[in-house]
Amino acid sequence: LNRVKTLEDDMMETSFNRCLSTIDLTLLGIGGMVGSGLYVLTGTVAKEIAGPAVIISFIIAGFASLLAALCYAEFGARVPKTGSAYMFTYVSVGEIWAFLIGWNVLLEYMIGGAAVARAWSGYLDSIFNHKIKNFTETHVGAWQVPFLAHYPDFLAAAILLVATAFISFGAKVSSWLNHVFSAISMGVILFILIMGFVLAQPKNWSAQEGGFAPYGLSGVMAGTATCFYAFVGFDVIAASSEEARNPQRAVPRAIAFSLGLATGAYILVSVVLTLMVPWHTLDPDSALADAFYRRGYAWAGFLVAAGSICAMNTVLLSNLFSLPRIVYAMAEDGLFFQVFSQVHPRTQVPVVGIVVFGLLMALLALVFDLEALVQFLSIGTLLAYTFVAASIIVLRFQQQKVDVPVPAGGGRPSPEPHEGPSAGQLKAAFEPYLEFLSDFYPGEVVTVAVVTLMVSAICLCSVLVFGNTHLHLPTWSYSLLLVLFSLGFLLSLLLIWAHEQQRSAQTFQIPLVPLSPALSIVLNIYLMLKLSYMTWLRFAVWLLLGLLVYFGYGIWHSKE
């Protein structure tokens, strides 16, 4: 269960087509992040959760995402293979964990893609005064079943099939399409910002409109949890690192650029939106178009609609782009059905995976009610972030396998003798105090410490989330538990820090290890515990299914 993947000597060799530049990757990442969220989420959070302080929510959420993104960047540069979080976990933590993460991310991409397609068709429908919906209901019929939609959404299924067709033409075509839609979307965002700042009225933040943070700090934090999901698109960059021309440089840069630009866009749009009209009068469904309409610029609403349709297209493309690649990575390692690891010789993309999962997504979008499904999103993403952060710590304190690149003239490189202590050993300064730890082989203590760190983080967050509400703890026990678990967390951190790290590689490395991954772990666990119990139920059912697939197929066919 805990066997890890051994990497080939030449990591650049691949059956894919390495054709994407840094700009292509950056735009893919932006396309995945700046989706319908920018047009929908900002208004909803500002009106119902945080008020104008939604700006602070986006800043905190952007920082939390940055911690996760930097972990992905370090891995994407070190292991330029497709498969994103699944691959990173497989290299450092173990097989069953990797499989379960891949399995969860898979479902989320499917639900996410279907949800966006459904929102897309609903948006188009509302522009035409719901003619499509009424036509379908009269000619095809409607039904009332929980979890199923009231009427079959043929438009949503059709857009998914069209997108599937385009993506199976190869990475260059998908990238080019994404460029076109991203360009339109960015143009519209620029227009919104310029127009919005012209129309801004500072009095909309004043006390008589309820002030800047009407819902207080708790509102800002609740908003952060929602805003965090606006940034989940960047792992498409890690999933396409096997198609990058120079992944060691391109992946970290693309992740940094796209996250920076997306955060900037979200923050500025929320500033503009809350300054144009008072926050409590926002229309949560189409806030931006409505704000322009109320200020007498009805024509601007059409531009906003065009922008948001293009933005939804880019999210669809990035979902359909990364899903088959993660499935491909799992099939290539033998953990998932072999048929998905076939790469088309001409287009150099995993065609079987693209077609099968495109059809599945279209089916989901056709019959399911996605309001019910959307709340199931995000647990797998948060789990993936948590494991990637833990993997960074484990990997940093492992003894280095010789990572010397092969010279162009052929021949094996001679490994240089390491001077000084190797990774995973106690630092010399701590040896007199922690002698009893020197018997373990390098890296072993760190792995145990990472596990205790995760456990204390889970306990700490449980007390924070449920302590006052569900558990009804008296104040003394609440504070005692908080202190105890925080101590456990800090002690594990110190124990990890007392060991030697790997010396800096040629590729990008996240600063302040083990502190920054540990912070990322706490944040992700906290957000996971904030999710509804239905989400956890869905998660448990899907996990059981995954275990059946793993023990029935994966464990016997694994390449390892």
Side-chain angles (χ1 to χ4, degrees):
L1 296 187
N2 280 333
R3 54 191 171 198
V4 292
K5 183 178 166 67
T6 43
L7 293 163
E8 308 90 60
D9 292 331
D10 180 17
M11 286 210 218
M12 294 297 285
E13 184 206 347
T14 171
S15 53
F16 285 152
N17 177 14
R18 285 197 181 275
C19 61
L20 300 179
S21 64
T22 310
I23 294 180
D24 296 333
L25 287 179
T26 308
L27 283 173
L28 262 176
I30 292 177
M33 283 185 278
V34 181
S36 45
L38 188 73
Y39 299 91
V40 181
L41 203 66
T42 40
T44 317
V45 177
K47 178 166 180 159
E48 291 163 8
I49 306 177
V54 62
I55 300 156
I56 315 287
S57 294
F58 273 118
I59 292 173
I60 303 171
F63 174 70
S65 304
L66 183 71
L67 285 175
L70 288 174
C71 296
Y72 272 78
E74 171 169 337
F75 257 122
R78 275 183 76 153
V79 187
K81 288 288 188 197
T82 192
S84 184
Y86 155 77
M87 178 64 72
F88 306 154
T89 311
Y90 200 179
V91 170
S92 49
V93 182
E95 187 172 276
I96 186 163
W97 307 106
F99 177 83
L100 291 178
I101 281 191
W103 184 245
N104 259 305
V105 167
L106 198 142
L107 179 68
E108 284 189 11
Y109 273 135
M110 281 188 1
I111 293 181
V116 173
R118 194 94 202 191
W120 185 94
S121 85
Y123 209 89
L124 208 63
D125 201 22
S126 68
I127 293 178
F128 296 122
N129 293 328
H130 301 292
K131 289 199 176 100
I132 307 170
K133 176 184 169 189
N134 300 338
F135 181 83
T136 316
E137 282 185 345
T138 45
H139 290 79
V140 184
W143 55 76
Q144 300 288 337
V145 188
F147 284 116
L148 290 188
H150 299 311
Y151 63 99
D153 195 335
F154 294 108
L155 191 60
I159 177 80
L160 277 165
L161 295 177
V162 172
T164 305
F166 273 114
I167 283 197
S168 50
F169 289 147
K172 255 301 175 224
V173 179
S174 330
S175 172
W176 180 83
L177 254 184
N178 182 60
H179 282 252
V180 173
F181 289 134
S182 293
I184 300 175
S185 175
M186 284 163 148
V188 171
I189 292 170
L190 268 177
F191 163 79
I192 291 173
L193 293 181
I194 295 167
M195 271 296 280
F197 275 116
V198 172
L199 294 173
Q201 294 174 326
K203 74 168 201 299
N204 286 333
W205 282 4
S206 64
Q208 68 255 36
E209 295 291 358
F212 179 68
Y215 295 103
L217 186 66
S218 62
V220 174
M221 291 318 287
T224 303
T226 314
C227 297
F228 185 75
Y229 306 123
F231 297 105
V232 294
F234 65 78
D235 52 349
V236 62
I237 299 174
S240 50
S241 61
E242 202 166 322
E243 278 143 306
R245 280 196 212 118
N246 180 356
Q248 282 78 12
R249 277 180 53 213
V251 172
R253 285 184 177 185
I255 285 180
F257 290 155
S258 60
L259 198 70
L261 283 169
T263 314
Y266 277 116
I267 291 169
L268 289 173
V269 167
S270 12
V271 170
V272 163
L273 187 61
T274 49
L275 281 177
M276 267 168 56
V277 291
W279 60 272
H280 49 82
T281 62
L282 288 171
D283 169 19
D285 296 327
S286 56
L288 276 167
D290 187 59
F292 278 115
Y293 176 74
R294 290 229 304 278
R295 295 297 300 274
Y297 293 89
W299 52 271
F302 280 103
L303 268 176
V304 172
S308 68
I309 280 181
C310 287
M312 287 185 209
N313 285 342
T314 60
V315 177
L316 266 187
L317 284 174
S318 83
N319 258 358
L320 271 168
F321 190 81
S322 31
L323 175 67
R325 281 157 180 79
I326 290 171
V327 176
Y328 162 84
M330 289 166 75
E332 182 66 10
D333 295 335
L335 297 187
F336 204 58
F337 307 113
Q338 216 53 62
V339 65
F340 291 118
S341 65
Q342 291 171 6
V343 173
H344 194 283
R346 203 176 76 250
T347 58
Q348 292 178 301
V349 288
V351 167
V352 182
I354 293 175
V355 171
V356 169
F357 284 95
L359 287 168
L360 274 173
M361 259 191 214
L363 190 71
L364 269 179
L366 186 67
V367 295
F368 279 99
D369 166 30
L370 291 155
E371 283 301 302
L373 292 182
V374 168
Q375 56 173 336
F376 294 157
L377 277 176
S378 69
I379 192 166
T381 314
L382 290 171
L383 197 71
Y385 287 177
T386 310
F387 267 90
V388 171
S391 306
I392 285 281
I393 303 181
V394 171
L395 203 71
R396 242 343 150 76
F397 293 92
Q398 266 176 4
Q399 277 186 305
Q400 234 152 341
K401 314 197 178 43
V402 185
D403 268 348
V404 190
V406 182
R412 298 293 303 151
S414 55
E416 271 130 59
H418 280 303
E419 302 87 49
S422 68
Q425 288 182 334
L426 269 177
K427 289 183 182 164
F430 291 99
E431 270 173 2
Y433 310 105
L434 298 169
E435 292 163 32
F436 59 94
L437 293 179
S438 51
D439 313 338
F440 298 101
Y441 59 88
E444 195 178 11
V445 182
V446 174
T447 312
V448 175
V450 170
V451 175
T452 55
L453 182 120
M454 300 265 276
V455 172
S456 40
I458 292 171
C459 299
L460 181 67
C461 293
S462 310
V463 173
L464 278 174
V465 176
F466 304 118
N468 287 332
T469 48
H470 296 70
L471 300 174
H472 301 299
L473 293 176
T475 318
W476 64 269
S477 65
Y478 179 72
S479 18
L480 179 72
L481 286 172
L482 278 186
V483 170
L484 275 178
F485 294 135
S486 308
L487 273 176
F489 184 77
L490 291 172
L491 284 173
S492 322
L493 252 184
L494 281 171
L495 196 59
I496 297 171
W497 181 69
H499 289 75
E500 292 284 348
Q501 288 189 36
Q502 288 181 3
R503 260 172 237 69
S504 65
Q506 288 80 33
T507 54
F508 170 79
Q509 286 193 313
I510 177 173
L512 295 178
V513 172
L515 183 66
S516 36
L519 270 178
S520 182
I521 289 173
V522 174
L523 270 165
N524 296 330
I525 290 176
Y526 179 76
L527 290 172
M528 260 153 93
L529 293 175
K530 286 287 237 194
L531 297 172
S532 67
Y533 71 96
M534 279 298 286
T535 312
W536 284 93
L537 200 67
R538 184 277 301 174
F539 176 67
V541 173
W542 185 247
L543 263 192
L544 285 174
L545 273 173
L547 289 171
L548 285 176
V549 173
Y550 178 68
F551 288 111
Y553 182 89
I555 197 168
W556 312 110
H557 293 78
S558 167
K559 296 268 168 77
E560 293 301 322

